[in-house]
Amino acid sequence: DEQDIRKMGGLKESMPITYYTFLIGTLALCGFPLTAGYFSKEAIIMSSWYVDGSNPVFWALAIAGAGMTGFYAFRIFFYAFFGTCRTAEAHPHESPTIMTYPLLILAFFAIFAGFGAPLAHSFLAPVFGNVIPEHHTNVALEIVAVGVALSGIIVAAIFYGEGGKTEEKSDGLKQLLAPIQDVLFRKYYIDELYDVLIVQPVKKTGEFM
């Protein structure tokens, strides 16, 4: 049915299975502790600090990415599932079982798959060899990574926790980040650049011919 997220809202009650599986997947995407995403993201962030030839800048960029992920992932979550539906034409309902069953399976692995990483390493070793980097543990760095991701989630909750109803807050954020928002909204002006460099010259050439 409706695919435009701008028309959604308040789906928590009408789509409970999708709500909870989406929440689990979003937490995993943000690298929430003990989810599958935590083990993979933590390994990447630790490697960016410890791997040979590493640079603190790479680690800082990875940390910034963790915070941005927490914000944008939960922005979508709050926007779609909280507040009220934004169009009278929509009739929200749970997906059929052909979609909800795969969601449940994916949610299960999003929670527990990380604990099977050693088995996966052993299984793939005969094919890929011993290419898995040494795993490093640094509690302080892990706390920073998780804290930044949680900070992104908290910021998303502040601005969108009511399903986007706090318009004055989001408008203030838009004004603050207006230049960045414009660049991102226009996809780095790739379409405009393509039109100027390719489309318009081709059209002019066609008119001339």
Side-chain angles (χ1 to χ4, degrees):
D1 297 329
E2 184 59 62
Q3 301 294 313
D4 190 345
I5 194 172
R6 293 171 297 182
K7 297 180 180 180
M8 299 180 187
L11 300 181
K12 177 181 178 181
E13 302 299 329
S14 56
M15 303 178 66
I17 296 177
T18 303
Y19 166 78
Y20 286 109
T21 53
F22 197 103
L23 174 60
I24 292 170
T26 305
L27 289 171
L29 178 64
C30 296
F32 194 80
L34 301 184
T35 63
Y38 167 77
F39 293 98
S40 60
K41 181 171 287 187
E42 182 261 350
I44 293 171
I45 292 176
M46 288 298 109
S47 296
S48 69
W49 182 273
Y50 284 103
V51 72
D52 293 338
S54 63
N55 188 310
V57 173
F58 298 148
W59 176 82
L61 291 173
I63 291 295
M68 293 174 65
T69 301
F71 174 77
Y72 79 71
F74 270 88
R75 174 184 179 272
I76 297 173
F77 173 75
F78 289 128
Y79 196 84
F81 291 97
F82 287 78
T84 57
C85 188
R86 297 176 181 84
T87 176
E89 301 174 359
H91 302 284
H93 56 82
E94 191 60 86
S95 302
T97 55
I98 195 173
M99 294 185 66
T100 54
Y101 282 173
L103 284 177
L104 293 171
I105 294 171
L106 290 171
F108 174 84
F109 284 108
I111 297 174
F112 297 107
F115 297 100
L119 295 176
H121 293 171
S122 301
F123 178 77
L124 296 174
V127 178
F128 294 100
N130 190 22
V131 297
I132 300 171
E134 179 184 357
H135 179 74
H136 298 276
T137 301
N138 187 314
V139 176
L141 295 182
E142 291 181 5
I143 291 175
V144 171
V146 173
V148 171
L150 290 177
S151 297
I153 296 174
I154 292 172
V155 172
I158 292 173
F159 285 97
Y160 299 98
E162 298 180 18
K165 293 171 66 175
T166 53
E167 293 297 337
E168 65 281 358
K169 295 181 181 179
S170 58
D171 287 344
L173 183 63
K174 290 178 181 178
Q175 293 177 5
L176 179 64
L177 302 177
I180 298 176
Q181 183 196 29
D182 188 59
V183 171
L184 296 178
F185 183 78
R186 294 183 178 274
K187 302 179 289 294
Y188 300 96
Y189 293 94
I190 296 298
D191 290 344
E192 287 80 357
L193 186 63
Y194 181 82
D195 183 69
V196 171
L197 297 180
I198 305 296
V199 176
Q200 293 304 324
V202 170
K203 285 184 176 180
K204 295 297 182 182
T205 301
E207 293 173 358
F208 176 78
M209 298 297 290

